[in-house]
Amino acid sequence: MGQDTFSDVAGADGKHRTYCRLCEAQCGMIAHVSHGRIERIEPDREHPVSEGHVCIKGTSFAAVTYDPDRVLTPLKRVGGPGEFVPVSWDEALGDIAARLQAIIDQHGGQAIGSYKGNPASFATLHSTYGALFLKALGGHKNFNAVQIDTGAKNLAQELVFGSGTDWTFPDIERCDLLIMIGANPLVSHMSLIAEPRFLRTLDRIAASGGVVVIDPRRTETARRYEHLAVLPDSDAWLVAAMIQHIFAQGLEAREVLEQRTTGWQQLRDALRPITPELAESHCGIAADQIRALAERFAVTPRAACYGRVGTNRGRFGTLVNLLIESLNVIAGKFGVDGGWMTGLAPIGKAGEPPMHARYGSARSRIGNLPLVLGSTPGGSLAAEITTPGEGQMRALFVDSGNPVLAYPDGETTADALEELDLLVGIDFYVNETTRHAHYVLPSLTFLEREDLTDYWVRNAPRPWVQFSPAVVEPQGDARHEFDIYNDILAKMGLPALFSDPDARANEAPELMEVADRMLRIGPFGDQFGENPDGLTVAKLRSQHPSGARTADRFDPAGSWSRVWTQNRKVRLWHDVTEGEIARLLAEPARSHGMLLMFGRRKLGSLNSWMHNVDRLVRSEVPSLLMHPADAKARGLSNGQTVRVSTPTGSLEVLLEVTEEVVPGSVCYPHGFGHKGGWQRANALPGVNINAIASSRPEDWEQVSGNVLVDGFQVTVEAV
Ligand SMILES: Nc1nc2c(c(=O)[nH]1)N[C@H]1C(S)=C(S)[C@@H](COP(=O)(O)OP(=O)(O)OC[C@H]3O[C@@H](n4cnc5c(=O)[nH]c(N)nc54)[C@H](O)[C@@H]3O)O[C@H]1N2
Ligand SMILES: Nc1nc2c(c(=O)[nH]1)N[C@H]1C(S)=C(S)[C@@H](COP(=O)(O)OP(=O)(O)OC[C@H]3O[C@@H](n4cnc5c(=O)[nH]c(N)nc54)[C@H](O)[C@@H]3O)O[C@H]1N2
Ligand code: SF4
Ligand SMILES: [Mo]
């Protein structure tokens, strides 16, 4: 086959259509393959949604696949952290299976835990089969990024709409006014909204009614649109006052409230004391601006208020998210064109209640908190290992994650990992977490793997689905996570993942067969022949290699049919709401001179990784941003090294004095401070800012278990 023809055979010469699996945009890409190797990656202009959009991370990804620091053979620990020797798969998996069996025999399956990081959400059914693997071993400690990312929102959605996984998001295609709280799409490329061409859409919204960015930093997004600078961790005051003002002005959607919701009067009454003036004293946004924003929002028919990660990691994350969901309903924006809505997952039957574990159906062993979506609080990872007694964790699988850098108090976590009887890392790098493993098992990069866009496209304003075959053959001895788990189960004499309990070993289903069945019964599927125009994986592969649009858009009105509370009404009042509003009202005023730390992302970074690609990090120098007024008060100047401290620890960082951040705050990116097997990353300047954030349960947000990384108090002094 020639260099210019398209192929879907892994490693064949020619062009391969695929898509990026680094962020939710999932941009279409074309990889050029010659002699079995990817020569370059360019945007796929025929992709029905990304239409040629990519960023520098996607087109640089072959540098990860061919990274000389990549793990290409199973590694066995032989000395201190990071000291490994290569071993065969058979030896590694045989020993892992034997050790697991010994742990189960002695302590039961509850001693086993699993951590699945962010990249798992981009791999077909990964979170599902990862959970099935854990369940097969009898384990239920299910760690992931939930409590440092979406947990407060998951909980708020569950309380208000009855489902933690039917994500609410704005109908940006038709919206005329978008309020964005704690999101920076110009860098993140949108989250909980799958839209690679978001910039075009946001510009259109800005021209018609406005894009208002609420953020403690004048971010890349804030600079392009309207910006209201808020103090970190104070958004609950802002949104509460907006709701208060809407009721005070009689601007609420009374008919919707009376017919389709419960509890709105209690919410209205509870928020009555939160006037714009009171809110101003806590959040720093002028009362008049709060009133104007509330009125503008209420009277614009096609408007939505969207909150993202910056609303999730404060002390009132759940309350902020409850209030954001409520604001959209109260102002009549839920389920209407250009407003606030839910979408449809392409896999699994539509119109069925959520399958996830209900809030409160189990509690955490550490901190005794009700679990959100059945996830074990990520902040408890170290304590789960070091706290003796029933259910103490003895074995852990870390798959696609790096909790030592991603979660607070990473040094304590790193020490605790050394105490495990068995730590298995599944990754293509030795990272700051897996360097503590007994075994590191090499996995595939997404260019060596077939995938279906099974998850995030449920929030696509212009819905699509794509199947990508593997572009090249696996490098070295790297293997698919699904096969790794199945081999361990086989060695332990347990049935394969997704297999019929009565089936024979050789009848174990292929992963893509399972995904295909779920696609076929899904809302856009062929229903096994009943809907001949519907989709199958085979059809996507042969007829829609750049992806297929599944619908023009999801009908926002359909969101009402996905309200899963018992009486199918939107629940605007709950014990949690009541308790959290009372807690907010008891908040003391912020003391003068206090500095609150919050984070930021970089275009060339993806949380704790992608830092080994020279092209992405060449000029990367992480710095602590501080307002000139705060610097002056401390006698600090631009470019000097400062010590930033909390009761958990202290770090030395480079100071950058700038008006970009609101007075009373400082800002530092997470995911730096490397000491893994990635040599380029190790050479980067910067520190792991999470090392000084607290992982103590009393510092978690007390209803969702989310950790506090946006808005924790620090002191800064000259070194
Ligand atoms: N202070 C602070 N902390 C934060 C955040 C913040 O804003 N501030 N953001 C948080 C957020 S939103 C998130 S999602 C978490 C992320 O935290 P995690 O999900 O724990 O970690 P990542 O940094 O994404 O690390 C991903 C690891 O997976 C590996 N990997 C990549 N692709 C694959 C794959 O296909 N298979 C396998 N097996 N491995 C793979 C990479 O090599 C890397 O080692 O971090 C969070 N931590
Ligand atoms: N380049 C790049 N892209 C990414 C990632 C990455 O690491 N790098 N990570 C991916 C992942 S895992 C995720 S979850 C998404 C997240 O995508 P987004 O939700 O857009 O996240 P961020 O870009 O971190 O933007 C969060 C914003 O919240 C602000 N903020 C912090 N604290 C507060 C607060 O108390 N109140 C308010 N109002 N704002 C606050 C921060 O200043 C920041 O601008 O991005 C994804 N895309
Ligand atoms: S925006 Fe960049 S990282 Fe995100 S999917 Fe597109 S190419 Fe990948
Ligand atoms: Mo995330």
Side-chain angles (χ1 to χ4, degrees):
M1 216 175 282
Q3 299 285 311
D4 289 325
T5 35
F6 281 98
S7 170
D8 67 357
V9 178
D13 275 4
K15 299 193 279 186
H16 294 244
R17 287 198 180 88
T18 184
Y19 65 91
C20 179
R21 277 145 267 182
L22 294 176
C23 84
E24 294 166 53
Q26 299 163 99
C27 301
M29 306 196 298
I30 294 177
H32 292 253
V33 175
S34 171
H35 304 291
R37 208 179 149 90
I38 298 165
E39 302 278 287
R40 72 187 143 89
I41 295 178
E42 60 184 27
D44 181 359
R45 289 171 219 290
E46 282 164 41
H47 189 282
V49 183
S50 64
E51 304 166 39
H53 179 273
V54 284
C55 82
I56 186 175
K57 293 189 292 302
T59 50
S60 305
F61 195 74
V64 172
T65 303
Y66 302 123
D67 192 332
D69 286 345
R70 191 178 154 183
V71 182
L72 290 176
T73 158
L75 299 178
K76 178 181 180 155
R77 180 86 172 268
V78 289
E83 290 176 34
F84 294 101
V85 294
V87 290
S88 69
W89 275 106
D90 208 46
E91 182 185 338
L93 297 185
D95 191 31
I96 289 167
R99 293 195 200 199
L100 280 173
Q101 195 59 60
I103 291 167
I104 292 170
D105 291 344
Q106 208 185 336
H107 307 286
Q110 56 175 347
I112 299 168
S114 131
Y115 179 101
K116 284 172 296 297
N118 170 269
S121 70
F122 296 91
T124 309
L125 295 175
H126 194 154
S127 300
T128 308
Y129 69 73
L132 289 176
F133 172 72
L134 182 64
K135 197 170 161 200
L137 301 178
H140 48 72
K141 292 189 209 302
N142 216 336
F143 297 93
N144 49 43
V146 161
Q147 288 95 354
I148 195 151
D149 185 344
T150 58
K153 174 160 171 71
N154 291 122
L155 175 54
Q157 291 178 164
E158 182 174 343
L159 298 181
V160 175
F161 299 109
S163 163
T165 49
D166 279 295
W167 301 103
T168 45
F169 66 101
D171 181 17
I172 55 173
E173 277 296 288
R174 274 142 221 268
C175 187
D176 291 326
L177 171 64
L178 180 65
I179 302 177
M180 282 199 281
I181 311 184
N184 186 17
L186 263 73
V187 171
S188 69
H189 296 110
M190 294 239 90
S191 184
L192 299 182
I193 302 175
E195 175 50 90
R197 286 281 173 186
F198 66 91
L199 194 57
R200 187 171 72 187
T201 315
L202 294 184
D203 284 352
R204 204 259 320 136
I205 300 173
S208 77
V211 173
V212 181
V213 179
I214 317 277
D215 204 294
R217 181 167 78 88
R218 193 163 173 78
T219 60
E220 296 72 4
T221 311
R223 265 175 255 157
R224 193 175 179 99
Y225 306 113
E226 297 168 56
H227 180 211
L228 290 178
V230 71
L231 280 162
D233 195 21
S234 68
D235 306 273
W237 292 103
L238 167 70
V239 188
M242 286 176 70
I243 297 178
Q244 190 269 3
H245 186 66
I246 286 173
F247 276 121
Q249 297 296 303
L251 292 173
E252 75 274 15
R254 189 55 81 98
E255 210 176 313
V256 173
L257 294 180
E258 282 172 352
Q259 290 171 12
R260 312 189 91 161
T261 74
T262 56
W264 63 274
Q265 293 100 332
Q266 284 105 313
L267 182 64
R268 177 197 59 194
D269 295 348
L271 296 181
R272 208 165 264 145
I274 306 187
T275 59
E277 277 72 19
L278 178 62
E280 174 181 343
S281 71
H282 287 273
C283 75
I285 299 178
D288 279 346
Q289 285 183 307
I290 299 176
R291 274 189 281 268
L293 185 63
E295 287 173 31
R296 191 173 157 202
F297 184 68
V299 303
T300 307
R302 296 169 181 232
C305 176
Y306 156 80
R308 214 19 218 113
V309 298
T311 64
N312 274 261
R313 289 95 54 103
R315 287 160 315 136
F316 290 96
T318 302
L319 181 59
V320 183
N321 280 279
L322 281 168
L323 293 171
I324 290 172
E325 303 294 345
S326 303
L327 172 67
N328 281 299
V329 175
I330 290 165
K333 314 307 181 200
F334 179 71
V336 302
D337 267 7
W340 194 238
M341 60 184 288
T342 58
L344 286 172
I347 59 164
K349 270 208 169 87
E352 296 199 337
M355 304 271 288
H356 64 75
R358 292 272 146 179
Y359 180 60
S361 56
R363 300 186 79 90
S364 60
R365 174 170 172 264
I366 306 298
N368 189 33
L369 287 189
L371 303 189
V372 174
L373 305 183
S375 291
T376 309
S380 70
L381 189 60
E384 280 279 5
I385 300 167
T386 54
T387 309
E390 178 83 12
Q392 182 177 9
M393 187 157 71
R394 319 253 172 189
L396 175 66
F397 284 79
V398 175
D399 172 350
S400 323
N402 193 3
V404 168
L405 290 199
Y407 267 101
D409 206 358
E411 292 305 318
T412 303
T413 304
D415 291 345
L417 294 174
E418 288 292 320
E419 292 180 28
L420 284 165
D421 294 345
L422 178 64
L423 175 61
V424 179
I426 305 182
D427 206 302
F428 39 74
Y429 286 112
V430 172
N431 66 26
E432 289 66 32
T433 305
T434 59
R435 70 194 285 266
H436 298 282
H438 296 95
Y439 287 98
V440 178
L441 306 177
S443 59
L444 307 175
T445 64
F446 66 71
L447 294 170
E448 302 152 277
R449 185 176 81 206
E450 59 180 20
D451 272 313
L452 180 73
T453 54
D454 58 347
Y455 192 71
W456 296 112
V457 292
R458 69 187 301 157
N459 292 0
R462 296 181 297 144
W464 84 97
V465 52
Q466 184 172 6
F467 167 80
S468 170
V471 173
V472 286
E473 294 285 348
Q475 298 294 295
D477 285 338
R479 298 184 61 189
H480 199 296
E481 294 88 345
F482 184 74
D483 299 329
I484 297 175
Y485 288 136
N486 262 339
D487 272 9
I488 295 173
L489 292 175
K491 287 196 187 297
M492 297 177 72
L494 293 168
L497 296 165
F498 297 114
S499 65
D500 197 312
D502 311 319
R504 276 178 250 208
N506 61 3
E507 287 167 6
E510 297 282 336
L511 181 59
M512 204 44 74
E513 278 172 21
V514 179
D516 182 50
R517 281 205 292 272
M518 294 176 76
L519 177 71
R520 294 180 74 177
I521 60 164
F524 317 111
D526 78 340
Q527 311 302 327
F528 289 92
E530 272 173 52
N531 173 23
D533 294 335
L535 294 173
T536 64
V537 166
K539 207 186 265 187
L540 283 172
R541 182 176 193 140
S542 62
Q543 294 173 25
H544 307 282
S546 290
R549 286 292 297 274
T550 45
D552 181 35
R553 62 184 190 121
F554 299 125
D555 178 13
S559 311
W560 288 105
S561 68
R562 292 183 287 276
V563 174
W564 296 112
T565 54
Q566 245 169 14
N567 58 9
R568 309 297 299 265
K569 289 192 172 188
V570 175
R571 181 168 47 206
L572 294 177
W573 191 247
H574 188 278
D575 291 348
V576 171
T577 324
E578 182 172 11
E580 290 298 278
I581 292 175
R583 194 163 70 85
L584 183 74
L585 284 166
E587 270 287 282
R590 212 163 282 237
S591 61
H592 189 70
M594 190 165 160
L595 282 180
L596 300 182
M597 171 75 78
F598 69 100
R600 71 185 185 277
R601 284 166 209 280
K602 303 280 202 146
L603 193 61
S605 296
L606 197 66
N607 296 306
S608 76
W609 68 296
M610 298 299 286
H611 288 160
N612 216 42
V613 181
D614 186 65
R615 185 173 167 221
L616 297 180
V617 295
R618 213 170 285 154
S619 53
E620 192 60 80
V621 186
S623 62
L624 183 78
L625 309 183
M626 181 187 275
H627 191 273
D630 291 319
K632 196 170 167 218
R634 288 166 181 76
L636 302 173
S637 50
N638 193 40
Q640 85 179 88
T641 301
V642 293
R643 183 174 300 114
V644 48
S645 312
T646 67
T648 308
S650 70
L651 293 166
E652 288 185 11
V653 296
L654 176 74
L655 183 69
E656 187 177 338
V657 178
T658 167
E659 289 186 351
E660 199 174 297
V661 291
V662 73
S665 73
V666 283
C667 176
Y668 196 88
H670 71 287
F672 291 88
H674 290 291
K675 48 179 175 189
W678 28 33
Q679 300 182 54
R680 180 68 188 89
N682 294 345
L684 278 176
V687 297
N688 172 15
I689 198 66
N690 281 335
I692 61 168
S694 163
S695 66
R696 296 183 318 160
E698 52 272 39
D699 294 327
W700 303 345
E701 193 251 359
Q702 288 296 302
V703 282
S704 67
N706 263 35
V707 287
L708 176 61
V709 294
D710 282 331
F712 64 90
Q713 201 179 338
V714 297
T715 57
V716 180
E717 62 201 353
V719 173

